[in-house]
Amino acid sequence: GRGEENGRSFIQLEQSSGVTNLSIWYPEQAAGEITPYPWTIEQLTGDNATVENVTLVNSYNGIKIGPVWNELHYIHNLYGTTLKTGIFLDYTTDIGRLEGIRLSPDYWSNSGLAGAPARPELLAYMTTHAEGIVMGRSDWEYMSDVHISGYQTGMRITTRTGSLETANAQLYGIHIDSCNVALKIEGVNDYGLLISNSEFLADAGDNPMSIYATSGFHSIVQFNTVTVGGNPRNAVVNEGTGVISFENSTIANWDHAGGAYAIKADAGSVILGQTGFGLPDHHLSLGKSVEKVNTLNSGYEGELDIKDDSDAADLNVHQNGNIQLKTMPADIQTDIAVQPKPAASALFDVTAAPYNADKQGMADVSAAVKQALADAAGTGGTVYFPAGTYRINEALTVPSGVELRGSWDVPHHTIGGGSVIFTNYGENAPDGDAFITLESSSGIRGISVYYDEQDWSSVKPYAWTIRGKGHDVYAINTTLVNPYQGIDFGSYDTSGHYIDYVAGSPLKEGIYLGGGASGGIMRNVQFNPHYYSRSTYPNHVPGEQQDVVWNYQKENLDAFRIGHTEGETIFNTFVYGSQYGIHFVAQDGVGPEAVVLGHGTDGSKKGVFVEAAGDSGLTFINTELVSMSTSDKVYITVDEGFDSEATFFNTSMWGDTTRSVDALSGKVNLQQSNFTVSGARGVNALGGEITLYDSYFQQAGSTHIYAGPDIVALREGANLFQGGIKLEDHSGGKVSGTDLTPVALELSKKAVDPAHPEEWNHTLTLRNVSQLEPMKGRIELMEPVQIASKWVPVRFEGVGYGESLTFKL
């Protein structure tokens, strides 16, 4: 395809396919005279295309996903130098994942291959011509561990090709440097971008910018624990009407000496929570159309320098030493260094002699598979199912050191075929032994399991499909098409368990973790009813009836249930359709301790349901929750009896919810939440201790905060409310914050000095004192005061509960 940029892509991926463990080099490409080529790899329409462990030495255009409809791409461990575009993705309607991406000039310049250019020459070209990642419409894109260096634009978030549709996404561990624009935002949908633990540095070319939101940006992007800098002119520029929000972040550098600003906002709104600036002034420049600026404990050594050229921006700038925002944990381990494998290299092919298992699905091959497992038990090894259909109606036990293995080496959808087990084991015996039991240090990989006699219109109970009975059990690239109960790693201590890209359409229970397990990792799980409906297996759900299964799941499925665990990491999990998206429970009186990074609950009744947690509590980062069901739909429920702490960093919530957050007990911390839809009540605080900071309520008219009489306290600050805050307070003085509506104060007067009757002492008795923070401060009159006035509108800062404040007029 030399010279034909729009020609056929070199490698085209149909659904359920992959490219792995490959390097691609264009030996005729020359840095001194760059020649266009077609895309190196392209995902065609459909589900599940994987690119893993691939190096693109010097591609012109690297990987293309879309603009035709597509789902479930997985780009994992991609390295390369790309001369125009590294990765382009568009029109992805089910979760795509980019993980472990490394793009820079170094892969070509350091390759040692013939014609490899010197780095300075290549860098000069790329920082004026190339883009790293370009994302158009993608629904819930998951990006993590992405490093981009030496591009004109590191990452560009834009609109769908030929449309104004845009993306929402969550990003974690993004590091972009040595670019002209590190992050460019041209369009985001109302659900926003969640960006955490990342770095955006710009220093190349003319007018470098670390973060640049153009006039097309009208929604919200939330940065948490992010460093912005390099050597830009203005570090952050917002030309759109959207909201830029930073929490626990640092704006490290900008062209301070040249009169530029850390944040230059021409329009829109700004939220800053506990965000530091690396230089003493020129922090915010507000243009004509800026609407609101809410800040809390942000600035340089306690001072925030603002140049206000707006027409009527509402500035709420607060420093409060009594408020200390929580910070997200550092160094979260999202994967293990080496995936588990069998104890020996011996291969036991169940279709070969002496086993001779039928792979057409015509005969029950339980005895043959059991014999292969028994033969592997002595030394360990792989019991292998070549691509085909296998009827197994008896329970299997995988011995220690043995892997039950199908043909797949990448994530796969049911439409892809491959190795699949048909079973009817465990029907009407949900409490019986599991279909597949994993002994310690054993696992399952690259296979599908289907219950061909399940009735999707009248669901029947079955036993668990997979159960772990010891440490270090695992399930990788495994699709459980329609289990009643999927994976049980919670009935026994499965410390060190590992789950990576399990997919399917569970009906009652998806995955259960617990048993006192420590150090487990569950990652990249994908649950969606289309794994059931899009298959071609007997008795599958007809496509037009998929909503029958979805409706059942919304009332019955406990997708992820977490019992007694310690140090559990849950990473980039997703479910579409469930009663409980992710559910935390006590087990033998002990609750879980876990970090949940990048979880998504979509089209479900309860997004996060918290009943219990261990002493160190639960931490949620980059959580996306959509509540849709028949009734009583809530994004987050913290139930009665919860006596620990749950902290949510960087959360997005939307759908057709009844309420946003039900807080009934314990401690609940909400920091940087985007409530696209609040429901009848946003934060429904009925008990416990609640904090709410740096959040955005897009829905006007509903009650944003309801404080019941039984709460311990509710503290809030630096939040943005469309239409003004709507607070219903029945707490009797337990609500405090910086966003609360100023109250009227009753003014009485008496002469202080008969010789000077024009001097009066005025006592202001505070009405509705529950809306005041318990601290000393100042009162600022909001309009001229006449001596005869009885009621004076004021803005207040820090007046104590039930106190009077005296001053002279």
Side-chain angles (χ1 to χ4, degrees), residues 685-714:
L686 302 179
E689 188 174 348
I690 302 96
T691 60
L692 172 68
Y693 295 115
D694 306 330
S695 295
Y696 180 34
F697 291 80
Q698 296 191 39
Q699 183 179 349
S702 64
T703 299
H704 298 128
I705 302 172
Y706 178 93
D710 296 328
I711 66 169
V712 176
L714 190 152

Side-chain angles (χ1 to χ4, degrees), residues 649-692:
F649 298 99
N650 224 354
T651 308
S652 184
M653 292 165 275
W654 70 97
D656 180 28
T657 196
T658 308
R659 297 175 303 282
S660 294
V661 179
D662 280 347
L664 294 115
S665 62
K667 293 183 178 180
V668 181
N669 306 303
L670 303 166
Q671 295 185 193
Q672 247 185 353
S673 296
N674 174 24
F675 298 90
T676 308
V677 177
S678 303
R681 293 180 182 177
V683 177
N684 181 38
L686 302 179
E689 188 174 348
I690 302 96
T691 60
L692 172 68

Side-chain angles (χ1 to χ4, degrees), residues 241-262:
T241 59
V243 178
I244 298 286
S245 174
F246 287 92
E247 180 180 282
N248 289 325
S249 293
T250 301
I251 315 295
N253 193 36
W254 60 93
D255 188 8
H256 170 269
Y261 281 79

Side-chain angles (χ1 to χ4, degrees), residues 320-625:
N320 188 334
N322 293 329
I323 297 175
Q324 184 68 34
L325 300 186
K326 290 187 170 293
T327 57
M328 68 173 58
D331 302 321
I332 299 171
Q333 181 186 4
T334 62
D335 204 356
I336 53 180
V338 179
Q339 285 199 343
K341 62 182 180 181
S345 59
L347 183 73
F348 301 84
D349 182 343
V350 299
T351 63
Y355 314 113
N356 301 316
D358 170 45
K359 64 175 184 177
Q360 306 301 318
M362 303 303 294
D364 189 333
V365 297
S366 299
V369 174
K370 285 182 174 182
Q371 185 60 54
L373 289 166
D375 291 347
T379 59
T382 299
V383 173
Y384 178 55
F385 293 76
T389 299
Y390 301 85
R391 164 74 57 190
I392 303 175
N393 282 334
E394 298 179 20
L396 304 176
T397 296
V398 182
S400 296
V402 175
E403 180 174 284
L404 195 69
R405 175 67 186 257
S407 61
W408 289 104
D409 200 33
V410 294
H412 59 282
H413 203 283
T414 50
I415 53 182
S419 306
V420 58
I421 295 172
F422 280 21
T423 189
N424 195 41
Y425 173 83
E427 181 179 352
N428 295 319
D431 299 323
D433 291 339
F435 173 47
I436 299 171
T437 297
L438 303 177
E439 300 289 355
S440 61
S441 301
S442 71
I444 184 169
R445 183 195 302 255
I447 203 163
S448 299
V449 178
Y450 181 60
Y451 291 83
D452 64 319
E453 295 185 20
Q454 178 61 275
D455 185 347
W456 55 268
S457 62
S458 181
V459 172
K460 296 181 289 187
Y462 280 82
W464 288 94
T465 302
I466 300 170
R467 172 173 286 144
K469 271 199 169 181
H471 290 194
D472 301 316
V473 291
Y474 61 93
I476 300 170
N477 292 335
T478 296
T479 298
L480 306 179
V481 183
N482 61 340
Y484 185 75
Q485 301 175 103
I487 296 178
D488 172 14
F489 282 3
S491 292
Y492 297 85
D493 180 358
T494 58
S495 292
H497 59 246
Y498 183 75
I499 296 172
D500 191 14
Y501 225 118
V502 167
S505 177
L507 300 171
K508 182 64 175 179
E509 289 252 22
I511 295 176
Y512 172 42
L513 305 178
S518 63
I521 293 180
M522 175 171 66
R523 62 195 314 273
N524 290 333
V525 178
Q526 188 78 14
F527 288 152
N528 193 305
H530 63 54
Y531 284 92
Y532 198 176
S533 64
R534 293 179 188 171
S535 80
T536 58
Y537 303 141
N539 298 323
H540 76 278
V541 183
E544 68 276 8
Q545 297 294 326
Q546 178 177 296
D547 281 0
V548 174
V549 174
W550 182 47
N551 290 333
Y552 179 88
Q553 291 168 325
K554 284 186 291 183
E555 301 298 326
N556 294 279
L557 174 61
D558 203 347
F560 301 98
R561 182 162 60 101
I562 317 300
H564 177 201
T565 58
E566 298 175 3
E568 184 75 28
T569 300
I570 298 170
F571 176 65
N572 283 2
T573 48
F574 176 84
V575 56
Y576 178 70
S578 60
Q579 181 184 21
Y580 305 132
I582 189 165
H583 183 192
F584 299 86
V585 299
Q587 187 178 15
D588 298 326
V590 183
E593 298 178 354
V595 173
V596 183
L597 170 55
H599 173 75
T601 297
D602 189 9
S604 299
K605 195 178 187 76
K606 308 279 189 186
V608 174
F609 185 33
V610 179
E611 294 187 73
D615 291 342
S616 65
L618 302 170
T619 299
F620 299 83
I621 301 168
N622 285 9
T623 309
E624 296 182 273
L625 306 172

